[in-house]
Amino acid sequence: MNIIKEPINKFIKLETSSSIVLFTATILALLLANSAISDQFLGFWKNQITISIPGLELSKPVIKWINDGLMVIFFFLIGLEIKRELIAGELNDFKKASLPLFAAIGGMIFPAAIFTLLNYGKPGAEGWGIPIAADIAFTLGILQLLGKKVPAGLKVFLMAFAIIDDLGAVLVIAFFYSTNIAWNYLGIALLLIAFLFFFTWKGYYSKYVFFIAGLIVWILFLKSGIHATIAGVLLAFTIPLQRKTKTAIFISEVKESLSIFENDCSKQKDKLLLTKDQLSAIDDIQEVSEKTAAPLQYLEHSLHGWVSYLIMPLFAFANAGVVFSFSNDFNFDLTTNIVLSMIFGNAIGIFTFSYLSIKLKISEMPQNVSLKMLAGISILGGLGFTMSLFINSLAFTDQTLIDSAKMGILIGSVITGIIGFLVLRLTLRNTKEKGK
């Protein structure tokens, strides 16, 4: 059991601490957007950056380099997590995956349906995908505030649900928020991805080959009209999960390298510098370490910190800034409809689909989790900050609609976070009192 709990706890600690950085970046963006330097702050993200090499020129504003460039790494990490969970995690068995699967389906259908119903025939109807997303960093951060009273099964359910929900959001982006597809570029990109799948299947993997091919695929997706972040997910699925070196061999080779290192320590006079044999021993340890961890797991471990503490906060800093100026052209209906869809759509959809799957004996309730706890998590599922902002940037081009939707996302996320926290806190307290 500890083998399962330890990586989950590490993941939660990373996500919850990163939620503080993400929250700080969001607040800072809102303060700057409504300060004396608002025009400079908001104008900065519109500055064009051009990369030009023979035969290729890419020119985009700063915010697009973040949303279409850096966020590809975020989606690449999502792809790695999805593949790991499907092959060796909580989603590799239908019985385990069915509850978060049905929860995620309900959490996508109901918010989209409620938004479409409320916003029918009004400006901003294309923003129906905004309320379907869930933000794992903030939701796990809220669970962490509740302390050790939260059952492990509830945390695992939330993580599995969020991963499936992210996959759903990726599919929505691919099929509904990609336009004017250039099939020639897309065809070449998919052919390259197919070659990478073939190499993986044959047991060949080189991080340098995959990086160069991945860069080319990213550029082709940019040119194709399919959003470039989809390339990140597809490329992640080409990364192998098989280990090249067994644990016993790893231990043996590391011991041998350490003995060489230790022997040279006794002979070494100048302690400031290492000997050539010691440097070689370090190289050998690093090489065997990379081979012992599966490439997918190694990449996921390496990227998690960068994504959590740099890419997501930078994305929030660039995208969350909205001016609190309710002028005549501000779309209050769009703001309100997003808020209502995030709160009620997710709460009703996630809980209803979860409850029905349990009652129909398709799924099982996680250990030590009650229906009231499930209701609290269902409310928290409406907190879709990061992915909602991302879909907002794809759904609209009109700045008024973008700002109105941002306001709805911020208000909806705050309300769902507070209500979900209070419901779970009350439920967990009552559960603890009954257990006494």
Side-chain angles (χ1 to χ4, degrees), residues 402-419:
I402 291 171
D403 289 343
S404 302
K406 280 183 185 179
M407 188 65 71
I409 293 165
L410 291 168
I411 295 170
S413 295
V414 169
I415 292 174
T416 52
I418 292 172
I419 296 174

PDB file of all heavy atoms in Angstrom, residues 402-419:
ATOM      1  N   ILE A 402     -13.798  38.101 -24.321  1.00  0.00           N
ATOM      2  CA  ILE A 402     -12.692  37.481 -23.586  1.00  0.00           C
ATOM      3  C   ILE A 402     -12.695  37.952 -22.131  1.00  0.00           C
ATOM      4  O   ILE A 402     -12.615  37.150 -21.200  1.00  0.00           O
ATOM      5  CB  ILE A 402     -11.333  37.800 -24.256  1.00  0.00           C
ATOM      6  CG1 ILE A 402     -11.219  37.076 -25.610  1.00  0.00           C
ATOM      7  CG2 ILE A 402     -10.170  37.403 -23.351  1.00  0.00           C
ATOM      8  CD1 ILE A 402     -10.015  37.493 -26.432  1.00  0.00           C
ATOM      9  N   ASP A 403     -12.808  39.274 -21.931  1.00  0.00           N
ATOM     10  CA  ASP A 403     -12.783  39.833 -20.578  1.00  0.00           C
ATOM     11  C   ASP A 403     -14.022  39.436 -19.778  1.00  0.00           C
ATOM     12  O   ASP A 403     -13.933  39.155 -18.574  1.00  0.00           O
ATOM     13  CB  ASP A 403     -12.670  41.362 -20.634  1.00  0.00           C
ATOM     14  CG  ASP A 403     -11.301  41.828 -21.086  1.00  0.00           C
ATOM     15  OD1 ASP A 403     -10.361  41.006 -21.035  1.00  0.00           O
ATOM     16  OD2 ASP A 403     -11.160  42.993 -21.502  1.00  0.00           O
ATOM     17  N   SER A 404     -15.183  39.417 -20.449  1.00  0.00           N
ATOM     18  CA  SER A 404     -16.421  39.022 -19.762  1.00  0.00           C
ATOM     19  C   SER A 404     -16.351  37.570 -19.318  1.00  0.00           C
ATOM     20  O   SER A 404     -16.787  37.219 -18.214  1.00  0.00           O
ATOM     21  CB  SER A 404     -17.626  39.229 -20.693  1.00  0.00           C
ATOM     22  OG  SER A 404     -17.720  40.571 -21.107  1.00  0.00           O
ATOM     23  N   ALA A 405     -15.780  36.713 -20.185  1.00  0.00           N
ATOM     24  CA  ALA A 405     -15.633  35.293 -19.848  1.00  0.00           C
ATOM     25  C   ALA A 405     -14.616  35.108 -18.724  1.00  0.00           C
ATOM     26  O   ALA A 405     -14.824  34.296 -17.816  1.00  0.00           O
ATOM     27  CB  ALA A 405     -15.210  34.504 -21.082  1.00  0.00           C
ATOM     28  N   LYS A 406     -13.519  35.877 -18.770  1.00  0.00           N
ATOM     29  CA  LYS A 406     -12.515  35.801 -17.700  1.00  0.00           C
ATOM     30  C   LYS A 406     -13.140  36.119 -16.348  1.00  0.00           C
ATOM     31  O   LYS A 406     -12.861  35.452 -15.344  1.00  0.00           O
ATOM     32  CB  LYS A 406     -11.369  36.788 -17.973  1.00  0.00           C
ATOM     33  CG  LYS A 406     -10.331  36.319 -18.963  1.00  0.00           C
ATOM     34  CD  LYS A 406      -9.236  37.353 -19.080  1.00  0.00           C
ATOM     35  CE  LYS A 406      -8.214  36.979 -20.154  1.00  0.00           C
ATOM     36  NZ  LYS A 406      -7.160  38.010 -20.284  1.00  0.00           N
ATOM     37  N   MET A 407     -13.991  37.143 -16.333  1.00  0.00           N
ATOM     38  CA  MET A 407     -14.653  37.522 -15.089  1.00  0.00           C
ATOM     39  C   MET A 407     -15.522  36.372 -14.579  1.00  0.00           C
ATOM     40  O   MET A 407     -15.533  36.068 -13.380  1.00  0.00           O
ATOM     41  CB  MET A 407     -15.501  38.773 -15.315  1.00  0.00           C
ATOM     42  CG  MET A 407     -16.076  39.369 -14.056  1.00  0.00           C
ATOM     43  SD  MET A 407     -14.800  40.004 -12.935  1.00  0.00           S
ATOM     44  CE  MET A 407     -14.265  41.444 -13.856  1.00  0.00           C
ATOM     45  N   GLY A 408     -16.234  35.729 -15.500  1.00  0.00           N
ATOM     46  CA  GLY A 408     -17.061  34.582 -15.121  1.00  0.00           C
ATOM     47  C   GLY A 408     -16.234  33.437 -14.585  1.00  0.00           C
ATOM     48  O   GLY A 408     -16.616  32.788 -13.591  1.00  0.00           O
ATOM     49  N   ILE A 409     -15.083  33.177 -15.216  1.00  0.00           N
ATOM     50  CA  ILE A 409     -14.192  32.093 -14.775  1.00  0.00           C
ATOM     51  C   ILE A 409     -13.663  32.375 -13.367  1.00  0.00           C
ATOM     52  O   ILE A 409     -13.638  31.482 -12.510  1.00  0.00           O
ATOM     53  CB  ILE A 409     -13.024  31.919 -15.771  1.00  0.00           C
ATOM     54  CG1 ILE A 409     -13.535  31.397 -17.119  1.00  0.00           C
ATOM     55  CG2 ILE A 409     -11.959  30.972 -15.210  1.00  0.00           C
ATOM     56  CD1 ILE A 409     -12.537  31.529 -18.252  1.00  0.00           C
ATOM     57  N   LEU A 410     -13.243  33.622 -13.127  1.00  0.00           N
ATOM     58  CA  LEU A 410     -12.704  33.987 -11.814  1.00  0.00           C
ATOM     59  C   LEU A 410     -13.771  33.876 -10.728  1.00  0.00           C
ATOM     60  O   LEU A 410     -13.543  33.281  -9.673  1.00  0.00           O
ATOM     61  CB  LEU A 410     -12.143  35.414 -11.860  1.00  0.00           C
ATOM     62  CG  LEU A 410     -10.884  35.617 -12.702  1.00  0.00           C
ATOM     63  CD1 LEU A 410     -10.600  37.107 -12.895  1.00  0.00           C
ATOM     64  CD2 LEU A 410      -9.687  34.938 -12.073  1.00  0.00           C
ATOM     65  N   ILE A 411     -14.947  34.436 -11.002  1.00  0.00           N
ATOM     66  CA  ILE A 411     -16.030  34.398 -10.003  1.00  0.00           C
ATOM     67  C   ILE A 411     -16.492  32.960  -9.768  1.00  0.00           C
ATOM     68  O   ILE A 411     -16.656  32.514  -8.628  1.00  0.00           O
ATOM     69  CB  ILE A 411     -17.221  35.277 -10.451  1.00  0.00           C
ATOM     70  CG1 ILE A 411     -16.808  36.747 -10.506  1.00  0.00           C
ATOM     71  CG2 ILE A 411     -18.415  35.099  -9.508  1.00  0.00           C
ATOM     72  CD1 ILE A 411     -17.820  37.661 -11.162  1.00  0.00           C
ATOM     73  N   GLY A 412     -16.699  32.215 -10.854  1.00  0.00           N
ATOM     74  CA  GLY A 412     -17.143  30.823 -10.745  1.00  0.00           C
ATOM     75  C   GLY A 412     -16.155  29.959  -9.988  1.00  0.00           C
ATOM     76  O   GLY A 412     -16.543  29.129  -9.160  1.00  0.00           O
ATOM     77  N   SER A 413     -14.853  30.161 -10.252  1.00  0.00           N
ATOM     78  CA  SER A 413     -13.823  29.369  -9.572  1.00  0.00           C
ATOM     79  C   SER A 413     -13.786  29.671  -8.082  1.00  0.00           C
ATOM     80  O   SER A 413     -13.646  28.760  -7.256  1.00  0.00           O
ATOM     81  CB  SER A 413     -12.451  29.638 -10.206  1.00  0.00           C
ATOM     82  OG  SER A 413     -12.402  29.182 -11.541  1.00  0.00           O
ATOM     83  N   VAL A 414     -13.896  30.944  -7.731  1.00  0.00           N
ATOM     84  CA  VAL A 414     -13.874  31.333  -6.316  1.00  0.00           C
ATOM     85  C   VAL A 414     -15.081  30.746  -5.578  1.00  0.00           C
ATOM     86  O   VAL A 414     -14.942  30.160  -4.491  1.00  0.00           O
ATOM     87  CB  VAL A 414     -13.860  32.873  -6.168  1.00  0.00           C
ATOM     88  CG1 VAL A 414     -14.105  33.279  -4.712  1.00  0.00           C
ATOM     89  CG2 VAL A 414     -12.528  33.437  -6.644  1.00  0.00           C
ATOM     90  N   ILE A 415     -16.271  30.871  -6.173  1.00  0.00           N
ATOM     91  CA  ILE A 415     -17.490  30.383  -5.517  1.00  0.00           C
ATOM     92  C   ILE A 415     -17.461  28.867  -5.354  1.00  0.00           C
ATOM     93  O   ILE A 415     -17.756  28.335  -4.281  1.00  0.00           O
ATOM     94  CB  ILE A 415     -18.752  30.819  -6.304  1.00  0.00           C
ATOM     95  CG1 ILE A 415     -18.918  32.341  -6.213  1.00  0.00           C
ATOM     96  CG2 ILE A 415     -20.000  30.119  -5.752  1.00  0.00           C
ATOM     97  CD1 ILE A 415     -20.036  32.895  -7.070  1.00  0.00           C
ATOM     98  N   THR A 416     -17.096  28.142  -6.430  1.00  0.00           N
ATOM     99  CA  THR A 416     -17.046  26.670  -6.331  1.00  0.00           C
ATOM    100  C   THR A 416     -15.997  26.228  -5.324  1.00  0.00           C
ATOM    101  O   THR A 416     -16.210  25.264  -4.584  1.00  0.00           O
ATOM    102  CB  THR A 416     -16.738  26.028  -7.701  1.00  0.00           C
ATOM    103  OG1 THR A 416     -15.562  26.634  -8.257  1.00  0.00           O
ATOM    104  CG2 THR A 416     -17.883  26.190  -8.672  1.00  0.00           C
ATOM    105  N   GLY A 417     -14.873  26.930  -5.289  1.00  0.00           N
ATOM    106  CA  GLY A 417     -13.828  26.584  -4.329  1.00  0.00           C
ATOM    107  C   GLY A 417     -14.298  26.761  -2.894  1.00  0.00           C
ATOM    108  O   GLY A 417     -14.086  25.883  -2.043  1.00  0.00           O
ATOM    109  N   ILE A 418     -14.968  27.884  -2.606  1.00  0.00           N
ATOM    110  CA  ILE A 418     -15.434  28.160  -1.239  1.00  0.00           C
ATOM    111  C   ILE A 418     -16.539  27.186  -0.829  1.00  0.00           C
ATOM    112  O   ILE A 418     -16.489  26.589   0.252  1.00  0.00           O
ATOM    113  CB  ILE A 418     -15.933  29.621  -1.125  1.00  0.00           C
ATOM    114  CG1 ILE A 418     -14.750  30.582  -1.262  1.00  0.00           C
ATOM    115  CG2 ILE A 418     -16.650  29.842   0.207  1.00  0.00           C
ATOM    116  CD1 ILE A 418     -15.145  32.043  -1.366  1.00  0.00           C
ATOM    117  N   ILE A 419     -17.542  27.005  -1.709  1.00  0.00           N
ATOM    118  CA  ILE A 419     -18.661  26.115  -1.364  1.00  0.00           C
ATOM    119  C   ILE A 419     -18.178  24.671  -1.211  1.00  0.00           C
ATOM    120  O   ILE A 419     -18.538  23.972  -0.261  1.00  0.00           O
ATOM    121  CB  ILE A 419     -19.782  26.190  -2.426  1.00  0.00           C
ATOM    122  CG1 ILE A 419     -20.402  27.588  -2.455  1.00  0.00           C
ATOM    123  CG2 ILE A 419     -20.876  25.153  -2.127  1.00  0.00           C
ATOM    124  CD1 ILE A 419     -21.414  27.793  -3.555  1.00  0.00           C
TER     125      ILE A 419
END
